[in-house]
Amino acid sequence: MNSTTGVSNEAYRIDLSRGCKSGEQVFSLKKMPFGAIFICLFFFCAVFFPLCFPAGDAHTAEDEDHQSMGKNVIDLVNRARLKGTRCGNKYFKPTRPVAWNSVLARASHKHSRDMAGKEHMGHTGSDDSGPGDRIALLGYKWMAYGENVCEGYATPEEAVKAWLKSREHCENIMNPGFREAGAAYAKGTERIYWTLVLATPEFSSRLRP
């Protein structure tokens, strides 16, 4: 493996219980004159509306490309799962395909962009998050998950081929316990970064559309 390419994986089988709470700041308009309220609203809309509602078509083509490439990765993963393959010295018999999951795809894209932004491949995000943290933060209730990442490969075919040549990554791909998956890439200034997340949702969330 040369310096321009690399692969890394991570898998966990431990369920986590997570919670969060948020605080609110209340701003009262009751004591403000109507004119002052109007001026405040005008400037608020002028400044923040473009930030909250960016142009709808600005990233449409890019988003479609990420989704298309991510689905190509999952198609290749499913080919391997349906065929059966050897991961190192262990043979994995054919198993059921994983279903595309948009939440896992979003988590994959977010992590790929994070890696591309800092030009560093790994499973720990800039915010110190791990794979399980990232999918849970997006609302995915998992019972098990696995994550493969790699850098320097130009196509889905090259990325999946590299993962299948590595025992640990191959075992993630062939794990019969995984039910859903998502994948994405992001371009750094010098390299392309890929992320594949496979997971099994909690029983209560398996019937989600």
Side-chain angles (χ1 to χ4, degrees):
M1 190 179 303
N2 61 46
S3 61
T4 61
T5 60
V7 293
S8 183
N9 88 312
E10 183 167 326
Y12 287 96
R13 304 291 182 271
I14 302 174
D15 195 8
L16 296 181
S17 297
R18 300 186 181 280
C20 63
K21 60 181 180 180
S22 61
E24 294 183 354
Q25 290 185 341
V26 180
F27 179 70
S28 177
L29 299 177
K30 292 182 179 180
K31 297 182 179 181
M32 292 183 64
F34 179 78
I37 295 174
F38 179 80
I39 293 173
C40 289
L41 289 175
F42 175 81
F43 280 104
F44 179 85
C45 291
V47 174
F48 292 104
F49 188 85
L51 298 177
C52 297
F53 302 95
D57 297 330
H59 300 290
T60 300
E62 180 181 356
D63 291 341
E64 288 180 355
D65 182 57
H66 281 293
Q67 186 175 66
S68 175
M69 296 283 271
K71 287 185 175 181
N72 284 346
V73 169
I74 304 306
D75 286 343
L76 293 165
V77 164
N78 282 332
R79 288 184 196 177
R81 289 172 68 90
L82 291 169
K83 181 180 179 181
T85 191
R86 184 173 295 278
C87 301
N89 296 323
K90 183 178 180 181
Y91 176 75
F92 283 77
K93 63 182 181 180
T95 188
R96 72 180 72 185
V98 288
W100 172 265
N101 183 281
S102 59
V103 176
L104 299 179
R106 284 167 55 200
S108 299
H109 190 202
K110 180 179 179 181
H111 188 53
S112 291
R113 290 179 60 187
D114 186 45
M115 291 190 294
K118 59 185 180 182
E119 294 287 352
H120 175 74
M121 182 185 68
H123 295 286
T124 303
S126 296
D127 57 357
D128 291 326
S129 64
D133 301 317
R134 291 188 287 272
I135 61 177
L137 194 61
L138 292 176
Y140 189 94
K141 297 180 180 180
W142 56 268
M143 184 171 66
Y145 71 83
E147 179 181 85
N148 287 359
V149 297
C150 66
E151 62 180 348
Y153 298 99
T155 66
E157 290 78 9
E158 291 178 2
V160 174
K161 184 178 180 180
W163 285 328
L164 289 173
K165 285 183 176 180
S166 167
R167 180 180 60 82
E168 294 87 354
H169 305 84
C170 181
E171 290 178 353
N172 262 358
I173 288 174
M174 295 303 298
N175 189 325
F178 291 141
R179 297 290 183 266
E180 300 174 334
Y185 78 97
K187 295 180 180 179
T189 56
E190 298 180 358
R191 303 174 185 175
I192 297 177
Y193 294 82
W194 297 86
T195 303
L196 165 66
V197 179
L198 305 106
T200 301
E202 288 182 346
F203 180 78
S204 61
S205 62
R206 287 184 181 178
L207 298 180
R208 295 174 309 171

